[in-house]
Amino acid sequence: MTSLIEVKNLSKRYKIKSNWFKKKSVTVLHPISFKLEAKETLAVIGEIGSGKSTLAKLLVGAARPTTGEISLNGQHLQTGNFKQRCQHVRMIFQNAGDTLNPSLTIRQQLEEPLILNTRLNENERKAMIRATLQKVGLLADHMHFYPHMFSGGQKQRISLARAIILQPQLVILDEALASLDLSLRAQMINLLLELQQQMGLAYLLVSHDIDVVEHFSDKLMVLREGKVVEYGNTSDVLTNPKDKFTRKLILSQRKTKVR
Ligand SMILES: Nc1ncnc2c1ncn2[C@@H]1O[C@H](COP(=O)(O)OP(=O)(O)OP(=O)(O)O)[C@@H](O)[C@H]1O
């Protein structure tokens, strides 16, 4: 059976200056392969600089892979085909609310991807914006508001609306919940889980928060210096980590929260 997402031998190498005249090549992500199904969440954890955001950028098409390929429902996602990529794979960042344009209404911001990527007419676009705002727990009338009229949690919901309006199949959450307080984070997680069931979304969650990872993800990948050191069902990896590094990482991330 074809998987929703299939990643084969994806890697990233950068050329950096080693001195005045020479450049050296550094591999920040060694070839990795994995599959992800609809309604499944893969969490990626690792120390700072371990390659988590690089993987996210490669999936969303913001960086060009050095090797490897990504398929969606068996169809190869071409590097540089931004239209194809942004319809199927979307990303939400930490403080995503800050990426909203302060001088445009919510309607204008949500309409932009529809104008660029669909053939919907004005009325159809408006109906889609209304439905999407309601899906994320906001009101249809909010489309006439500007970003400064919303709280941080509401802005995060608007970013989510912008991410799902093209009905993607994979949404990447790069520390997207990190800036929210505990209660808003719980609300956002519930909303994301609801949307996952409703829309059949797959998520890739980059997070430093083991509690969120435990509650939210089905599979867990642990990266160290650009290499996968552990990969499996989240509960198996968290309860019985095979790698010494994973044990340390889990302990340190739990400890950070207790303090
Ligand atoms: N454009 C670039 N040129 C050279 N090196 C880069 C570039 N972008 C990232 N790197 C390097 O790639 C490595 C992995 O970075 P990446 O941002 O993927 O790590 P990360 O695990 O997401 O870290 P963090 O937890 O801080 O977000 C780091 O050593 C980083 O310095």
Side-chain angles (χ1 to χ4, degrees):
M1 206 184 76
T2 319
S3 294
L4 177 73
I5 303 280
E6 185 161 4
V7 169
K8 274 192 207 155
N9 292 321
L10 198 65
S11 77
K12 182 70 185 170
R13 212 164 38 231
Y14 284 110
K15 282 211 164 75
I16 55 165
K17 261 191 183 169
S18 63
N19 62 36
W20 280 96
F21 308 106
K22 280 194 178 161
K23 280 190 172 178
K24 68 172 183 181
S25 192
V26 208
T27 302
V28 297
L29 192 69
H30 292 260
I32 67 170
S33 303
F34 62 89
K35 289 178 181 174
L36 193 56
E37 306 298 339
K39 300 189 185 179
E40 234 182 13
T41 299
L42 167 66
V44 183
I45 60 170
E47 287 174 329
I48 288 170
S50 56
K52 306 180 295 293
S53 296
T54 302
L55 172 61
K57 279 189 215 156
L58 292 174
L59 289 173
V60 83
R64 200 171 265 273
T66 308
T67 66
E69 59 182 54
I70 304 161
S71 305
L72 202 126
N73 288 320
Q75 196 192 353
H76 178 53
L77 290 181
Q78 291 147 15
T79 308
N81 185 342
F82 296 111
K83 193 165 177 176
Q84 181 198 37
R85 191 70 64 105
C86 85
Q87 261 181 344
H88 299 301
V89 186
R90 306 288 289 182
M91 188 152 161
I92 307 178
F93 301 93
Q94 187 174 2
N95 301 320
D98 298 345
T99 63
L100 298 170
N101 186 330
S103 57
L104 297 181
T105 63
I106 302 312
R107 175 180 172 176
Q108 287 169 311
Q109 317 213 24
L110 294 182
E111 200 163 25
E112 197 183 16
L114 295 175
I115 294 172
L116 291 173
N117 295 286
T118 72
R119 289 165 184 252
L120 298 179
N121 65 34
E122 199 181 335
N123 281 337
E124 290 166 334
R125 290 198 299 267
K126 203 170 165 194
M128 181 66 99
I129 292 168
R130 194 178 297 127
T132 309
L133 284 172
Q134 285 165 348
K135 261 190 196 161
V136 300
L138 295 169
L139 302 173
D141 272 355
H142 281 143
M143 75 169 86
H144 307 297
F145 292 19
Y146 287 88
H148 73 268
M149 300 159 91
F150 294 95
S151 67
Q154 285 175 317
K155 282 193 216 168
Q156 196 76 345
R157 284 172 190 255
I158 296 166
S159 306
L160 180 58
R162 196 171 52 177
I164 62 166
I165 200 156
L166 291 176
Q167 301 180 309
Q169 280 146 314
L170 172 65
V171 175
I172 298 171
L173 306 160
D174 192 354
E175 291 290 355
L177 306 165
S179 62
L180 302 175
D181 67 32
L182 275 181
S183 112
L184 284 179
R185 194 176 307 161
Q187 284 176 28
M188 194 69 177
I189 289 175
N190 288 338
L191 175 60
L192 287 164
L193 291 172
E194 244 172 61
L195 291 174
Q196 183 167 46
Q197 291 310 311
Q198 256 179 45
M199 301 176 67
L201 294 170
Y203 292 128
L204 184 122
L205 170 76
V206 175
S207 179
H208 284 107
D209 188 329
I210 289 290
D211 288 344
V212 170
V213 166
E214 192 166 27
H215 182 66
F216 193 31
S217 67
D218 307 289
K219 288 181 178 166
L220 177 56
M221 178 184 282
V222 185
L223 288 180
R224 185 185 192 194
E225 292 172 4
K227 288 185 188 144
V228 178
V229 290
E230 197 131 17
Y231 175 63
N233 290 330
T234 302
S235 54
D236 295 344
V237 175
L238 290 182
T239 50
N240 187 21
K242 298 205 169 29
D243 189 271
K244 202 168 72 184
F245 169 77
T246 312
R247 276 198 290 275
K248 267 193 186 166
L249 187 74
I250 294 170
L251 265 179
S252 74
Q253 295 197 354
R254 287 213 200 272
K255 252 196 245 151
T256 318
K257 284 192 68 76
V258 172
R259 245 182 250 147

